[in-house]
């Protein structure tokens, strides 16, 4: 009998890769999307266009407990992957209220509905974030590192992280947190710095623009490929016991490093095409993130497969191909 998985955020980068992974493993895959996504494929469904006939979509919003409950009651999933959120950190400074409301209530609604429908052995995954570490107390960061969030987005993730732990402890739910460090791909949204760079490089190479505006060039991040990271999500829910896991590469690069490699790949000098815009620097910056993923390596037997260099090349080549087409 097929396992049934429900994914929130299925139209996003991680959701689309996860859906493909679960389909390859024989799952029946369901996703929650806003109504507009069902009506406008070009705008919202481009990442899952190739698998639309293989998955089942349900219109709903994370802000409605009644709708969440009804979807879970109807689908009766074996596994829930909660990836949906207001995930753009820059926007969270502009609209703290909707970020906190959507992210915290959405997690709470899903956890409570999963508990209330009464299906035994239901497994729950929550997409936590390395942004929770914020102004880091130690480096690298592990599951034992304390949190110091520096945005309403990060605060919403910390609150949701503790909600997951609470349901695990109070109701013996198989609920796990994946503390994922930065992970990118050609499916990354255009508002994120890595895609802004790769798409900008492709446009500059094709003579369509001359400059890219960036903020903090010295921010250090642990960057991996989203395709690797969704496998870690799945592995967490295959364990006998739930838990919290840091997922990253254990290697660190600056935004400047990313830009330098991207421009070098197309034979250009990044210094000729980048301008720093102070308006793009966050009010409270996260300067350095680096993962200690030894627990995931030991228990999940997980390790990243795609290198930083290959990630950058993959994104730039994809955007070059997009422009050609």
């Amino acid at each position: 009998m097929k396992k049934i998985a429900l994914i929130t955020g299925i139209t996003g980068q991680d959701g689309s890769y996860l859906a493909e992974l679960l389909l390859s493993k024989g799952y029946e895959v369901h996703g929650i999307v806003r109504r507009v996504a069902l009506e406008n494929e070009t705008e919202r469904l481009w990442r899952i266009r190739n698998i639309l006939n293989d998955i089942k979509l349900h219109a709903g919003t994370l802000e409605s407990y009644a709708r969440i409950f009804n979807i879970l009651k109807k689908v009766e999933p074996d596994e829930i992957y909660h990836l949906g959120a207001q995930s753009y950190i820059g926007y969270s400074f502009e609209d703290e209220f909707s970020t906190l409301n959507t992210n915290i209530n959405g997690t709470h609604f899903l956890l409570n509905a999963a508990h209330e429908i009464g299906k035994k052995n239901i497994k729950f995954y929550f997409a936590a974030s390395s942004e929770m570490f914020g102004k880091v107390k130690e480096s690298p960061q592990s599951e034992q590192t304390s949190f110091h969030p520096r945005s309403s987005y990060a605060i919403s993730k910390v609150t949701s992280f503790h909600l997951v732990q609470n349901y695990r402890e109070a109701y013996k739910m198989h609920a796990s947190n994946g503390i994922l460090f930065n992970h990118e791909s050609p499916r990354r949204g255009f508002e994120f710095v890595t895609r802004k760079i790769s798409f900008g490089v492709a446009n500059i190479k094709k003579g369509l623009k001359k400059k890219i505006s960036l903020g903090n060039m010295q921010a250090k991040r642990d960057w991996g490929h989203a395709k690797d990271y969704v496998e870690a999500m799945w592995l967490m829910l295959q364990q006998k016991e739930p838990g919290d896991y840091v997922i990253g590469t254990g290697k660190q690069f600056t935004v400047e490093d990313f830009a330098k490699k991207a421009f070098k790949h197309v034979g250009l000098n990044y210094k000729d095409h980048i301008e720093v815009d102070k308006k793009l620097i966050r009010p409270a910056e996260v300067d350095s993130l680096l993962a200690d993923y030894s627990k995931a390596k030991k228990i999940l037997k997980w390790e990243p497969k795609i290198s930083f260099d290959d990630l950058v090349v993959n994104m730039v080549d994809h955007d070059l191909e997009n422009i050609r087409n």
Side-chain angles (χ1 to χ4, degrees), residues 51-88:
I51 57 171
L52 277 175
N53 293 330
D54 303 314
I55 61 179
K56 299 178 182 179
L57 298 179
H58 305 267
T61 169
L62 292 172
E63 295 157 6
S64 169
Y65 178 78
R67 185 60 186 144
I68 293 295
F69 182 88
N70 288 335
I71 291 172
L72 264 65
K73 190 74 174 174
K74 178 182 179 181
V75 174
E76 291 192 334
D78 299 296
E79 298 173 2
I80 298 171
Y81 295 87
H82 179 31
L83 315 182
Q86 191 303 95
S87 60
Y88 183 46

Side-chain angles (χ1 to χ4, degrees), residues 7 10 14-24 29 51 55:
I7 304 171
I10 195 170
D14 294 6
S16 62
Y17 281 120
L18 178 62
E20 290 171 357
L21 175 70
L22 295 176
L23 287 171
S24 74
V29 177
I51 57 171
I55 61 179

Side-chain angles (χ1 to χ4, degrees), residues 124-244:
F124 187 96
Y125 169 84
F126 171 64
S129 169
S130 60
E131 288 287 326
M132 300 189 305
F133 296 121
K135 192 173 182 178
V136 297
K137 303 291 194 298
E138 61 183 12
S139 193
Q141 295 86 52
S142 72
E143 295 80 6
Q144 281 71 50
T145 304
S146 58
F147 300 140
H148 187 144
R150 302 267 281 171
S151 65
S152 59
Y153 166 80
I155 291 166
S156 74
K157 289 292 184 178
V158 170
T159 305
S160 296
F161 175 92
H162 288 304
L163 277 167
V164 171
Q165 284 191 331
N166 183 247
Y167 269 76
R168 182 167 72 214
E169 294 167 5
Y171 305 114
K172 310 304 177 191
M173 185 182 288
H174 193 297
S176 296
N177 287 300
I179 308 174
L180 272 57
F181 280 63
N182 292 63
H183 47 291
E184 319 298 321
S185 77
R187 299 180 189 176
R188 197 45 146 158
F190 290 94
E191 68 271 28
F192 292 89
V193 67
T194 51
R195 190 69 193 280
K196 191 174 183 181
I197 292 171
S198 67
F199 191 64
V201 166
N203 275 278
I204 290 168
K205 180 64 177 177
K206 294 296 181 181
L208 300 175
K209 64 187 296 186
K210 293 182 179 180
K211 298 280 186 180
I212 305 175
S213 295
L214 299 175
N216 183 6
M217 294 281 287
Q218 300 312 312
K220 297 176 183 177
R221 293 293 184 270
D222 183 325
W223 273 304
H225 199 295
K227 203 168 185 179
D228 284 343
Y229 287 36
V230 298
E231 184 181 10
M233 299 175 190
W234 175 77
L235 285 168
M236 287 179 214
L237 297 199
Q238 310 317 305
Q239 304 307 304
K240 185 177 180 181
E241 299 295 332
D244 307 321

